[in-house]
Amino acid sequence: MSVGRLTRGARESVAGLPRAFWWLWTSTLINRLGAFVATFMTLYLTIDRGYSASFAGLVLGLHGLGGVLSSLVAGVLTDRLGRRPTLLAAQLSTAFSVALLGFMEHPGAIAAVALLVGMTSNASRPAVTAMMADIVRPEDRVRAFALNYWAINLGFGVSAMAAGLVAEYSYLVGFLGEATLTLLCAVLVFAKLPESRPVRDTTGGADDGPAIGLGTVLRDRRFMGVVGLSFLISLIFTQGSVGLPAAMGAAGYSAGDYGLVVAANGLLIVLLQIPVTRFIEHRDPQRLLVISALLAGYGFAMTAFAGSLWAYALTVCVWTLAEIVNSPTQMGLVARLSPVHGRGRYQGMYTMSWAVASLVAPLMAGYVIDHLGAAWLWGATGALGTVAGLGYWLLMRRLPAERPAVVPIPVVPAQAPDPAVA
């Protein structure tokens, strides 16, 4: 393929997206460049501070619980207060709590602040995805979500390498570095991103429809079905960082071996996310989600037969392809099913499915590996992928038409929240 053709393809991949999207994309990239806590928390607690693996697991569990608790609250605030103030509050409080965590000495204080970090860091996600759905045309959303996911993985990859060097010098510098970059994100949002929340028609017009609360989301059977399937898919993908290292360790492989194998995941996402998305963005989302669910489940199931590092790396390549297809397609589906004035609540419920999976997956992997063996865990992922694939096929029949775009984005004046809506 010629350089000119590659350049033209890259230009087409980023063309047509509004400037506000790129500021939001930049904020995401900066935020992931500072992902120190999520990457090195276990090593910090066990090696630097000398705590047990059990205590480290408890702290990580509390961090995940914080994400579960904040998902729905952040979704409601995204709709009631607006995307921009919710995002600003989340980023400012994350910067403060991450910096605070680096100075904690008592085990109880570390656990409590880890819970706070989990709450604040997860609170920005419904606002980011709702704003992205607001400012990007429906036909461009899959591409926009893919570019954002690409930024997440690129930032995380660079962060993991840089943070490893920082950790050898000082873990406290790592905590303060993440806090500083998160604060920079807040400054960027404040300076460059106006509010994108659609203005609700207060004249009694029919276009806006009835008020939307959390009960509305829970009664939306199709959407809650997607949330349930997202939970299953999350259980599968989380095994890449939970079940896979445990199984490889039990098989006699070192942490360095696991690092080499799992590095294929980030590398493939950085290299393939954009070209694969260009190939799939206008294709049938039902077929894409079914195929990606099966690839994810069976990709992990193949791990049961892996007998070498190359074989493990091959399984990672299979489920990484599933991840590349599933993530932007599923996020596009969530945006498509979310009412314009309820996007925050809908996105909050969707975010919670991943947060709950991050709590359940370690328990699931640990119990199955300890009592039944790793082969049963990989068989379970294959079963989960099959169930998820069937679920996508059933739920997406007669999918409703795409809602029109809300092309922004003037600054929206503050409005008093509707007390009747949760």
Side-chain angles (χ1 to χ4, degrees), residues 200 208-217 219 339 341-342 345 418-422:
R200 193 170 184 88
D208 279 351
I212 296 172
L214 287 176
T216 310
V217 185
R219 290 189 295 271
H341 296 287
R345 291 171 174 84
D418 184 356
V421 182

Side-chain angles (χ1 to χ4, degrees), residues 225-266:
V226 172
V227 170
L229 294 173
S230 170
F231 171 72
L232 295 183
I233 290 293
S234 305
L235 281 181
I236 297 173
F237 283 130
T238 306
Q239 298 309 324
S241 58
V242 176
L244 183 59
M248 289 184 67
Y253 292 97
S254 67
D257 293 332
Y258 167 72
L260 288 174
V261 167
V262 82
N265 173 253

Side-chain angles (χ1 to χ4, degrees), residues 128-146:
V128 169
T129 49
M131 180 176 281
M132 205 168 292
D134 293 338
I135 64 181
V136 176
R137 296 178 304 176
E139 59 268 27
D140 293 329
R141 281 179 188 153
V142 169
R143 180 160 54 100
F145 285 129

Side-chain angles (χ1 to χ4, degrees), residues 41 44-45 49-52 54-56 58-60 62 101 103-115:
M41 191 63 178
Y44 167 68
L45 292 173
R49 303 303 300 272
Y51 292 113
S52 67
S54 297
F55 178 72
L58 171 64
V59 171
L60 289 175
L62 289 171
L101 183 60
F103 291 99
M104 293 297 99
E105 299 285 342
H106 191 276
I110 292 174
V113 178
L115 174 67

Side-chain angles (χ1 to χ4, degrees), residues 184-209:
L184 177 59
C185 290
V187 172
L188 186 64
V189 169
F190 180 78
K192 295 295 184 180
L193 281 174
E195 178 59 68
S196 69
R197 181 181 54 162
V199 180
R200 193 170 184 88
D201 183 4
T202 58
T203 63
D207 291 341
D208 279 351

